[in-house]
Amino acid sequence: MKDFIKVMKALSEPNRVKIVKMLQQKLMCVCEMQAALGITQPSVSKHLKILEDAGLVDSKKDGLWVNYDLTNGAVSPYAAALLGNLRHWLEQDREIGELVEELPNIRRENICKK
Amino acid sequence: MKDFIKVMKALSEPNRVKIVKMLQQKLMCVCEMQAALGITQPSVSKHLKILEDAGLVDSKKDGLWVNYDLTNGAVSPYAAALLGNLRHWLEQDREIGELVEELPNIRRENICKK
DNA sequence: TCACTATATTCTGTTTGAGTAATATATGCC
DNA sequence: GGCATATATTACTCAAACAGAATATAGTGA
């Protein structure tokens, strides 16, 4: 029950859902997400922690960066199922559409390391 | 997006998940759920409203009683999918198991109309 | 119509959650 | 080592969510 609730709660927040939808397109670091979502860096980090804790997202350090990706769902069957559904869900959503369209223009080289 | 969030939020609360799992067993009125969950009647009513608003639950008046049931999922594809998953999810959950076991003993004739 | 009962709604206090700013941690480079 | 940068954590504020008590509504039966 607790694990189930964790996954549901994690996906009950628009910015977190957007993160999942973005990660379907490509690996991303925190600052890229921050730029895409237009919220502060600590806020992104907290959302990512919640998603990671629910078994929806994985992180791997790459030097100074931390790359986030969707999990394969091995940890939580609930996460696995929802990630599967979210592959096609919200594809028609206007807000998500605009976000994904902008993704190719958001590259860490242009954002960080100023 | 909004509809999706509504379904996720609705299923992010343990008592509401329990309501769904109970309704998989049988139609129930508010006072039966109140007895099963051990919370106040207004609380049950509010949870039911949230579930109904998300397209997870239907209600039909029967005189003084209001019978609640799971929807067929026609309203929301998200609700439909989650209700489908919840048919088998949490079947092994201890808390849910105990709740469901007690269901046959909870009949409105024994609870209401004192 | 009047009492009675099941459910819904309102009100209030408390908790949880999201946001930002400030600070801490960790990695890479000189 | 010392500095710069990407990310994490903490502290705090504000809004949303949940619980229960009290009240309102609607249906039933005398």
mmCIF file of all heavy atoms in Angstrom, chain A residues 58-93:
data_model
loop_
_atom_site.group_PDB
_atom_site.id
_atom_site.type_symbol
_atom_site.label_atom_id
_atom_site.label_comp_id
_atom_site.label_asym_id
_atom_site.label_seq_id
_atom_site.Cartn_x
_atom_site.Cartn_y
_atom_site.Cartn_z
ATOM 1 N N ASP A 58 15.652 7.297 -12.276
ATOM 2 C CA ASP A 58 16.989 6.885 -11.847
ATOM 3 C C ASP A 58 17.959 8.035 -12.068
ATOM 4 O O ASP A 58 17.745 8.864 -12.930
ATOM 5 C CB ASP A 58 17.468 5.723 -12.725
ATOM 6 C CG ASP A 58 17.352 4.406 -12.001
ATOM 7 O OD1 ASP A 58 17.261 4.420 -10.760
ATOM 8 O OD2 ASP A 58 17.354 3.364 -12.670
ATOM 9 N N SER A 59 19.049 8.043 -11.286
ATOM 10 C CA SER A 59 20.039 9.089 -11.503
ATOM 11 C C SER A 59 21.429 8.480 -11.560
ATOM 12 O O SER A 59 21.712 7.468 -10.925
ATOM 13 C CB SER A 59 19.975 10.108 -10.367
ATOM 14 O OG SER A 59 20.359 9.519 -9.160
ATOM 15 N N LYS A 60 22.262 9.111 -12.352
ATOM 16 C CA LYS A 60 23.639 8.654 -12.450
ATOM 17 C C LYS A 60 24.542 9.861 -12.550
ATOM 18 O O LYS A 60 24.311 10.747 -13.356
ATOM 19 C CB LYS A 60 23.802 7.744 -13.679
ATOM 20 C CG LYS A 60 25.067 6.941 -13.672
ATOM 21 C CD LYS A 60 24.959 5.611 -14.442
ATOM 22 C CE LYS A 60 24.205 5.702 -15.766
ATOM 23 N NZ LYS A 60 24.379 4.506 -16.613
ATOM 24 N N LYS A 61 25.557 9.883 -11.725
ATOM 25 C CA LYS A 61 26.463 11.027 -11.742
ATOM 26 C C LYS A 61 27.381 10.950 -12.950
ATOM 27 O O LYS A 61 27.869 9.876 -13.315
ATOM 28 C CB LYS A 61 27.314 11.062 -10.466
ATOM 29 C CG LYS A 61 26.514 11.361 -9.233
ATOM 30 C CD LYS A 61 27.390 11.858 -8.094
ATOM 31 C CE LYS A 61 27.212 13.335 -7.926
ATOM 32 N NZ LYS A 61 27.824 13.863 -6.695
ATOM 33 N N ASP A 62 27.607 12.116 -13.525
ATOM 34 C CA ASP A 62 28.548 12.222 -14.627
ATOM 35 C C ASP A 62 29.371 13.469 -14.362
ATOM 36 O O ASP A 62 29.058 14.550 -14.841
ATOM 37 C CB ASP A 62 27.800 12.323 -15.957
ATOM 38 C CG ASP A 62 28.757 12.601 -17.122
ATOM 39 O OD1 ASP A 62 29.965 12.304 -16.978
ATOM 40 O OD2 ASP A 62 28.287 13.142 -18.145
ATOM 41 N N GLY A 63 30.374 13.277 -13.544
ATOM 42 C CA GLY A 63 31.177 14.425 -13.151
ATOM 43 C C GLY A 63 30.346 15.360 -12.310
ATOM 44 O O GLY A 63 29.747 14.958 -11.311
ATOM 45 N N LEU A 64 30.293 16.578 -12.747
ATOM 46 C CA LEU A 64 29.561 17.584 -12.006
ATOM 47 C C LEU A 64 28.056 17.451 -12.221
ATOM 48 O O LEU A 64 27.245 17.861 -11.390
ATOM 49 C CB LEU A 64 30.041 18.960 -12.468
ATOM 50 C CG LEU A 64 30.044 20.093 -11.465
ATOM 51 C CD1 LEU A 64 30.601 19.652 -10.129
ATOM 52 C CD2 LEU A 64 30.823 21.259 -12.012
ATOM 53 N N TRP A 65 27.696 16.841 -13.332
ATOM 54 C CA TRP A 65 26.275 16.697 -13.657
ATOM 55 C C TRP A 65 25.676 15.439 -13.037
ATOM 56 O O TRP A 65 26.386 14.492 -12.707
ATOM 57 C CB TRP A 65 26.080 16.635 -15.169
ATOM 58 C CG TRP A 65 26.156 17.982 -15.810
ATOM 59 C CD1 TRP A 65 25.171 18.921 -15.879
ATOM 60 C CD2 TRP A 65 27.280 18.554 -16.455
ATOM 61 N NE1 TRP A 65 25.613 20.038 -16.529
ATOM 62 C CE2 TRP A 65 26.900 19.846 -16.894
ATOM 63 C CE3 TRP A 65 28.573 18.113 -16.716
ATOM 64 C CZ2 TRP A 65 27.773 20.694 -17.572
ATOM 65 C CZ3 TRP A 65 29.435 18.954 -17.390
ATOM 66 C CH2 TRP A 65 29.044 20.232 -17.804
ATOM 67 N N VAL A 66 24.380 15.467 -12.905
ATOM 68 C CA VAL A 66 23.653 14.249 -12.530
ATOM 69 C C VAL A 66 22.612 14.019 -13.614
ATOM 70 O O VAL A 66 21.733 14.855 -13.826
ATOM 71 C CB VAL A 66 22.968 14.409 -11.163
ATOM 72 C CG1 VAL A 66 22.209 13.151 -10.812
ATOM 73 C CG2 VAL A 66 23.994 14.717 -10.088
ATOM 74 N N ASN A 67 22.747 12.904 -14.287
ATOM 75 C CA ASN A 67 21.793 12.602 -15.350
ATOM 76 C C ASN A 67 20.627 11.803 -14.827
ATOM 77 O O ASN A 67 20.808 10.780 -14.162
ATOM 78 C CB ASN A 67 22.497 11.816 -16.467
ATOM 79 C CG ASN A 67 23.414 12.715 -17.270
ATOM 80 O OD1 ASN A 67 23.035 13.820 -17.639
ATOM 81 N ND2 ASN A 67 24.625 12.245 -17.517
ATOM 82 N N TYR A 68 19.463 12.256 -15.144
ATOM 83 C CA TYR A 68 18.256 11.552 -14.729
ATOM 84 C C TYR A 68 17.627 10.849 -15.918
ATOM 85 O O TYR A 68 17.681 11.327 -17.044
ATOM 86 C CB TYR A 68 17.258 12.535 -14.108
ATOM 87 C CG TYR A 68 17.625 12.893 -12.689
ATOM 88 C CD1 TYR A 68 18.506 13.937 -12.420
ATOM 89 C CD2 TYR A 68 17.112 12.149 -11.623
ATOM 90 C CE1 TYR A 68 18.851 14.248 -11.111
ATOM 91 C CE2 TYR A 68 17.458 12.464 -10.319
ATOM 92 C CZ TYR A 68 18.326 13.506 -10.067
ATOM 93 O OH TYR A 68 18.675 13.814 -8.785
ATOM 94 N N ASP A 69 17.023 9.693 -15.611
ATOM 95 C CA ASP A 69 16.402 8.880 -16.647
ATOM 96 C C ASP A 69 15.213 8.151 -16.022
ATOM 97 O O ASP A 69 15.116 8.050 -14.797
ATOM 98 C CB ASP A 69 17.429 7.854 -17.160
ATOM 99 C CG ASP A 69 16.987 7.237 -18.470
ATOM 100 O OD1 ASP A 69 15.927 7.635 -19.004
ATOM 101 O OD2 ASP A 69 17.710 6.348 -18.963
ATOM 102 N N LEU A 70 14.344 7.632 -16.857
ATOM 103 C CA LEU A 70 13.254 6.820 -16.333
ATOM 104 C C LEU A 70 13.801 5.453 -15.950
ATOM 105 O O LEU A 70 14.751 4.959 -16.560
ATOM 106 C CB LEU A 70 12.157 6.658 -17.398
ATOM 107 C CG LEU A 70 11.515 7.964 -17.866
ATOM 108 C CD1 LEU A 70 10.487 7.686 -18.962
ATOM 109 C CD2 LEU A 70 10.858 8.694 -16.699
ATOM 110 N N THR A 71 13.236 4.827 -14.958
ATOM 111 C CA THR A 71 13.668 3.484 -14.570
ATOM 112 C C THR A 71 13.065 2.469 -15.526
ATOM 113 O O THR A 71 12.163 2.780 -16.301
ATOM 114 C CB THR A 71 13.190 3.133 -13.150
ATOM 115 O OG1 THR A 71 11.760 3.053 -13.156
ATOM 116 C CG2 THR A 71 13.624 4.173 -12.149
ATOM 117 N N ASN A 72 13.534 1.253 -15.434
ATOM 118 C CA ASN A 72 12.929 0.175 -16.215
ATOM 119 C C ASN A 72 11.738 -0.417 -15.459
ATOM 120 O O ASN A 72 11.092 -1.341 -15.927
ATOM 121 C CB ASN A 72 13.953 -0.915 -16.534
ATOM 122 C CG ASN A 72 14.580 -1.474 -15.267
ATOM 123 O OD1 ASN A 72 14.062 -1.256 -14.169
ATOM 124 N ND2 ASN A 72 15.671 -2.182 -15.412
ATOM 125 N N GLY A 73 11.478 0.127 -14.287
ATOM 126 C CA GLY A 73 10.317 -0.341 -13.532
ATOM 127 C C GLY A 73 10.565 -1.588 -12.713
ATOM 128 O O GLY A 73 9.635 -2.183 -12.164
ATOM 129 N N ALA A 74 11.812 -1.973 -12.607
ATOM 130 C CA ALA A 74 12.129 -3.196 -11.888
ATOM 131 C C ALA A 74 11.836 -3.075 -10.390
ATOM 132 O O ALA A 74 11.502 -4.056 -9.731
ATOM 133 C CB ALA A 74 13.593 -3.566 -12.090
ATOM 134 N N VAL A 75 11.941 -1.884 -9.856
ATOM 135 C CA VAL A 75 11.777 -1.677 -8.420
ATOM 136 C C VAL A 75 10.313 -1.769 -7.994
ATOM 137 O O VAL A 75 9.976 -2.440 -7.031
ATOM 138 C CB VAL A 75 12.348 -0.300 -7.992
ATOM 139 C CG1 VAL A 75 12.140 -0.086 -6.507
ATOM 140 C CG2 VAL A 75 13.819 -0.216 -8.351
ATOM 141 N N SER A 76 9.451 -1.085 -8.740
ATOM 142 C CA SER A 76 8.049 -1.030 -8.362
ATOM 143 C C SER A 76 7.140 -1.383 -9.531
ATOM 144 O O SER A 76 7.209 -0.763 -10.585
ATOM 145 C CB SER A 76 7.712 0.377 -7.862
ATOM 146 O OG SER A 76 6.329 0.620 -7.941
ATOM 147 N N PRO A 77 6.299 -2.390 -9.345
ATOM 148 C CA PRO A 77 5.368 -2.759 -10.414
ATOM 149 C C PRO A 77 4.394 -1.621 -10.723
ATOM 150 O O PRO A 77 3.940 -1.489 -11.853
ATOM 151 C CB PRO A 77 4.631 -3.975 -9.842
ATOM 152 C CG PRO A 77 4.838 -3.895 -8.365
ATOM 153 C CD PRO A 77 6.144 -3.225 -8.160
ATOM 154 N N TYR A 78 4.094 -0.833 -9.689
ATOM 155 C CA TYR A 78 3.183 0.293 -9.900
ATOM 156 C C TYR A 78 3.851 1.335 -10.787
ATOM 157 O O TYR A 78 3.256 1.845 -11.736
ATOM 158 C CB TYR A 78 2.771 0.900 -8.566
ATOM 159 C CG TYR A 78 2.366 -0.148 -7.544
ATOM 160 C CD1 TYR A 78 3.053 -0.292 -6.348
ATOM 161 C CD2 TYR A 78 1.311 -1.014 -7.794
ATOM 162 C CE1 TYR A 78 2.698 -1.269 -5.423
ATOM 163 C CE2 TYR A 78 0.950 -1.989 -6.887
ATOM 164 C CZ TYR A 78 1.648 -2.112 -5.693
ATOM 165 O OH TYR A 78 1.302 -3.076 -4.792
ATOM 166 N N ALA A 79 5.093 1.633 -10.463
ATOM 167 C CA ALA A 79 5.854 2.571 -11.283
ATOM 168 C C ALA A 79 5.957 2.045 -12.710
ATOM 169 O O ALA A 79 5.754 2.799 -13.667
ATOM 170 C CB ALA A 79 7.241 2.775 -10.691
ATOM 171 N N ALA A 80 6.237 0.776 -12.848
ATOM 172 C CA ALA A 80 6.375 0.187 -14.179
ATOM 173 C C ALA A 80 5.109 0.376 -14.996
ATOM 174 O O ALA A 80 5.147 0.810 -16.151
ATOM 175 C CB ALA A 80 6.709 -1.302 -14.052
ATOM 176 N N ALA A 81 3.974 0.067 -14.393
ATOM 177 C CA ALA A 81 2.704 0.167 -15.107
ATOM 178 C C ALA A 81 2.399 1.603 -15.497
ATOM 179 O O ALA A 81 2.034 1.901 -16.635
ATOM 180 C CB ALA A 81 1.576 -0.407 -14.246
ATOM 181 N N LEU A 82 2.591 2.507 -14.555
ATOM 182 C CA LEU A 82 2.276 3.903 -14.834
ATOM 183 C C LEU A 82 3.216 4.480 -15.896
ATOM 184 O O LEU A 82 2.789 5.228 -16.783
ATOM 185 C CB LEU A 82 2.353 4.733 -13.553
ATOM 186 C CG LEU A 82 1.065 4.906 -12.745
ATOM 187 C CD1 LEU A 82 0.028 5.694 -13.547
ATOM 188 C CD2 LEU A 82 0.464 3.580 -12.310
ATOM 189 N N LEU A 83 4.478 4.121 -15.813
ATOM 190 C CA LEU A 83 5.421 4.597 -16.831
ATOM 191 C C LEU A 83 5.008 4.073 -18.198
ATOM 192 O O LEU A 83 5.078 4.792 -19.202
ATOM 193 C CB LEU A 83 6.845 4.143 -16.486
ATOM 194 C CG LEU A 83 7.533 4.918 -15.366
ATOM 195 C CD1 LEU A 83 8.896 4.315 -15.051
ATOM 196 C CD2 LEU A 83 7.689 6.392 -15.734
ATOM 197 N N GLY A 84 4.547 2.845 -18.223
ATOM 198 C CA GLY A 84 4.060 2.282 -19.485
ATOM 199 C C GLY A 84 2.892 3.080 -20.021
ATOM 200 O O GLY A 84 2.876 3.494 -21.179
ATOM 201 N N ASN A 85 1.935 3.336 -19.173
ATOM 202 C CA ASN A 85 0.764 4.106 -19.599
ATOM 203 C C ASN A 85 1.146 5.514 -20.051
ATOM 204 O O ASN A 85 0.622 6.032 -21.031
ATOM 205 C CB ASN A 85 -0.249 4.206 -18.457
ATOM 206 C CG ASN A 85 -0.997 2.901 -18.240
ATOM 207 O OD1 ASN A 85 -1.239 2.145 -19.180
ATOM 208 N ND2 ASN A 85 -1.358 2.629 -16.999
ATOM 209 N N LEU A 86 2.058 6.100 -19.326
ATOM 210 C CA LEU A 86 2.433 7.484 -19.639
ATOM 211 C C LEU A 86 3.200 7.604 -20.953
ATOM 212 O O LEU A 86 3.450 8.707 -21.428
ATOM 213 C CB LEU A 86 3.244 8.078 -18.487
ATOM 214 C CG LEU A 86 2.390 8.606 -17.333
ATOM 215 C CD1 LEU A 86 3.238 8.905 -16.119
ATOM 216 C CD2 LEU A 86 1.627 9.858 -17.750
ATOM 217 N N ARG A 87 3.564 6.467 -21.524
ATOM 218 C CA ARG A 87 4.195 6.519 -22.850
ATOM 219 C C ARG A 87 3.211 7.106 -23.868
ATOM 220 O O ARG A 87 3.576 7.878 -24.738
ATOM 221 C CB ARG A 87 4.592 5.105 -23.310
ATOM 222 C CG ARG A 87 5.879 4.625 -22.712
ATOM 223 C CD ARG A 87 7.072 5.127 -23.517
ATOM 224 N NE ARG A 87 8.299 4.992 -22.717
ATOM 225 C CZ ARG A 87 9.413 5.655 -22.975
ATOM 226 N NH1 ARG A 87 9.476 6.490 -23.994
ATOM 227 N NH2 ARG A 87 10.461 5.496 -22.212
ATOM 228 N N HIS A 88 1.958 6.726 -23.735
ATOM 229 C CA HIS A 88 0.982 7.251 -24.709
ATOM 230 C C HIS A 88 0.029 8.269 -24.103
ATOM 231 O O HIS A 88 -0.521 9.114 -24.795
ATOM 232 C CB HIS A 88 0.214 6.101 -25.376
ATOM 233 C CG HIS A 88 -0.302 5.060 -24.437
ATOM 234 N ND1 HIS A 88 -1.589 5.096 -23.953
ATOM 235 C CD2 HIS A 88 0.277 3.958 -23.894
ATOM 236 C CE1 HIS A 88 -1.762 4.045 -23.151
ATOM 237 N NE2 HIS A 88 -0.653 3.339 -23.087
ATOM 238 N N TRP A 89 -0.148 8.233 -22.791
ATOM 239 C CA TRP A 89 -1.022 9.220 -22.155
ATOM 240 C C TRP A 89 -0.425 10.621 -22.292
ATOM 241 O O TRP A 89 0.803 10.781 -22.265
ATOM 242 C CB TRP A 89 -1.197 8.903 -20.661
ATOM 243 C CG TRP A 89 -2.160 7.781 -20.396
ATOM 244 C CD1 TRP A 89 -2.966 7.146 -21.295
ATOM 245 C CD2 TRP A 89 -2.405 7.145 -19.133
ATOM 246 N NE1 TRP A 89 -3.691 6.158 -20.673
ATOM 247 C CE2 TRP A 89 -3.370 6.137 -19.353
ATOM 248 C CE3 TRP A 89 -1.911 7.318 -17.842
ATOM 249 C CZ2 TRP A 89 -3.849 5.315 -18.332
ATOM 250 C CZ3 TRP A 89 -2.377 6.499 -16.822
ATOM 251 C CH2 TRP A 89 -3.342 5.511 -17.059
ATOM 252 N N LEU A 90 -1.299 11.593 -22.380
ATOM 253 C CA LEU A 90 -0.925 13.017 -22.395
ATOM 254 C C LEU A 90 -0.136 13.416 -23.633
ATOM 255 O O LEU A 90 0.418 14.514 -23.691
ATOM 256 C CB LEU A 90 -0.117 13.381 -21.138
ATOM 257 C CG LEU A 90 -0.810 13.097 -19.794
ATOM 258 C CD1 LEU A 90 0.112 13.402 -18.634
ATOM 259 C CD2 LEU A 90 -2.088 13.906 -19.663
ATOM 260 N N GLU A 91 -0.126 12.544 -24.623
ATOM 261 C CA GLU A 91 0.560 12.898 -25.860
ATOM 262 C C GLU A 91 -0.161 14.042 -26.570
ATOM 263 O O GLU A 91 0.442 14.797 -27.319
ATOM 264 C CB GLU A 91 0.655 11.677 -26.789
ATOM 265 C CG GLU A 91 1.702 10.655 -26.377
ATOM 266 C CD GLU A 91 3.107 11.247 -26.401
ATOM 267 O OE1 GLU A 91 3.553 11.675 -27.464
ATOM 268 O OE2 GLU A 91 3.763 11.266 -25.336
ATOM 269 N N GLN A 92 -1.445 14.162 -26.336
ATOM 270 C CA GLN A 92 -2.224 15.228 -26.992
ATOM 271 C C GLN A 92 -2.321 16.483 -26.138
ATOM 272 O O GLN A 92 -2.910 17.467 -26.560
ATOM 273 C CB GLN A 92 -3.648 14.734 -27.310
ATOM 274 C CG GLN A 92 -3.720 13.361 -27.952
ATOM 275 C CD GLN A 92 -2.841 13.247 -29.184
ATOM 276 O OE1 GLN A 92 -2.690 14.202 -29.938
ATOM 277 N NE2 GLN A 92 -2.202 12.090 -29.358
ATOM 278 N N ASP A 93 -1.771 16.432 -24.961
ATOM 279 C CA ASP A 93 -1.885 17.573 -24.056
ATOM 280 C C ASP A 93 -1.102 18.771 -24.613
ATOM 281 O O ASP A 93 0.068 18.653 -24.952
ATOM 282 C CB ASP A 93 -1.349 17.173 -22.674
ATOM 283 C CG ASP A 93 -1.591 18.248 -21.638
ATOM 284 O OD1 ASP A 93 -2.682 18.265 -21.053
ATOM 285 O OD2 ASP A 93 -0.694 19.098 -21.448
#
